[in-house]
Amino acid sequence: VGCPEGPGGAGAAMEQEPTEQPADSEAVRLLPRTSDGVSALRAGPLWGVVLNLVLYMAAPMSMPATMKASGWVWGTLLLAYSTGVTLQTGFLIGEIVQSSPHLDSFPALGEHCFRLLRPEREDSVRWGKAGRRLCLVLQFATYYLDVTAQLLYVVQYLDQLSPVASGWPMCLWSWFLVVYVLCLPLNLMPNMSESRFMALPCALALALMLATFFAEIFGTRPWACDPGPARAPPLPRSVFMSLSAWAYMFGGHGMYPEVIREMKDPGQWPRALALTYAVVVPMYAACGYLGYYAYGDFAYANINLNFPDDVANRVSIFVQMVVCWYLVAYSNLVLVMGLEQARGLSFSRRDRAAAVQRFVLRAAFLASQVLVGLLLLNGQGDTLLALQSLAGAVGMTAFTYILPFVFHWIVFGARLSKARRAWYAVNVGIGVAITLAGVVGACADL
């Protein structure tokens, strides 16, 4: 991963002086400079931010299998814990960013906090660069592979919807080429806030997905079968391994600073986050409890395999494909916008030449992810998927459970009580445990 010297975004190199700097000269020396043209991005209304956050976070169809791995008791405790802690870490990220608007990306946030670890030393700048690069690598690995996984899902959904006939010409690798062409128009979206218009039909797709979920379960009533679904108490190892799955359910924190920088009113961030959780958490609880009650230990990670092969199931597969198609574009924005900054392409440029440059760069970037996806289909697929899980377990968990507490402690540590510091330390420890669970699971598959 190339890391130019500019700290203002994911790989940002073009920078400008921030509009407001602290009066204290030492503080000025320690704060990274903002990315170029950030003011042109501040157009995202509250409803658009909430819509994008809900669509990115929501993974209700995976909840039955996650509850199966955790069981009734541990599943309830982990749902409550993950909800409270990840909501808090989202607020902590917002508090840091709003206190220093120069921190308009997670890599910039990492640079600032690492510099504060050694503010009186001459090597503070070097420490800052190390922090920025750490966050950049974590961000790149997490979301690059996340998009690759979304591409795989779209390809598999198309294959599931294809006719079962010996003369059918399409296979998985040819569907990849189709998906690439279908995703190209999404590269015309200039930034995250503009994606809200595409998110509107995807929100309807999410609602239809939930409707088919409940229709299939209440229509078939699996609990009325003889014998009914079994629910054996989960083994400790199963509960431990489920920690990484819960982390994925509440992921997305790694792009929160970038989302905040595009809000028309960044002061509404706490409200946006609260509304997001007010939508997602009841959705998780309903799907998790009902799906586990209906299918028990037979709940598949791909819940559509539990449904009969009928029209409602195919509609569910289709709308899930639509949502994944949207996530390909949205998740890539946090990475490609940083790369565009590295090439000297300001956020404020909206001319035709800039649009062409953005499209070519994003098309090439997406092509690289398609190639990785094709590798996942060959004989090395299991190994690469395990490596993807490994990167995700480390990156997603770090952004969600570890770095927000660590960075908030560094920035506001002087005003934190002993009890709050202890709470931060406990949660960082739990985040490390979640990381270990993901690493163990991925290594077992390698």
Side-chain angles (χ1 to χ4, degrees), residues 166-177:
S166 58
W168 180 251
M170 302 297 291
C171 58
L172 288 177
W173 72 265
S174 54
W175 275 126
F176 248 118
L177 299 180

Side-chain angles (χ1 to χ4, degrees), residues 261-282:
R261 81 180 174 196
E262 296 196 22
M263 293 184 68
K264 184 182 298 183
D265 180 8
Q268 289 190 310
W269 170 250
R271 186 182 177 192
L273 202 58
L275 289 173
T276 299
Y277 274 68
V279 174
V280 173
V281 175

Side-chain angles (χ1 to χ4, degrees), residues 1 40 105 109 156 207-208 231 273 307 338 385 387 390 417 435:
V1 181
S105 69
L109 186 59
Q156 291 173 357
L208 188 56
R231 302 179 195 87
L273 202 58
F307 300 158
L385 280 171
L387 289 175
L390 182 63
S417 65
T435 301

Side-chain angles (χ1 to χ4, degrees), residues 41-96:
L41 298 177
R42 295 204 181 279
L46 178 65
W47 68 266
V49 173
V50 173
L51 197 58
N52 282 324
L53 291 177
V54 167
L55 286 172
Y56 183 84
M57 184 186 297
M61 306 298 272
S62 301
M63 280 301 301
T66 304
M67 287 295 293
K68 177 187 73 173
S70 307
W72 291 120
V73 176
W74 279 106
T76 300
L77 292 175
L78 289 173
L79 175 60
Y81 171 78
S82 299
T83 299
V85 169
T86 60
L87 182 59
Q88 182 185 16
T89 54
F91 287 147
L92 295 182
I93 293 172
E95 184 179 356
I96 298 173

Side-chain angles (χ1 to χ4, degrees), residues 18 35 53 58 63 66 70 81 161 168 203 212 234 298 315 333 339 342-343 345 389 392 397 425 434 439:
S35 304
L53 291 177
M63 280 301 301
T66 304
S70 307
Y81 171 78
L161 295 171
W168 180 251
T212 58
F298 296 99
V315 169
L333 282 172
L339 293 175
R343 292 181 58 84
L345 196 58
S389 299
T397 305
I434 294 173
V439 170

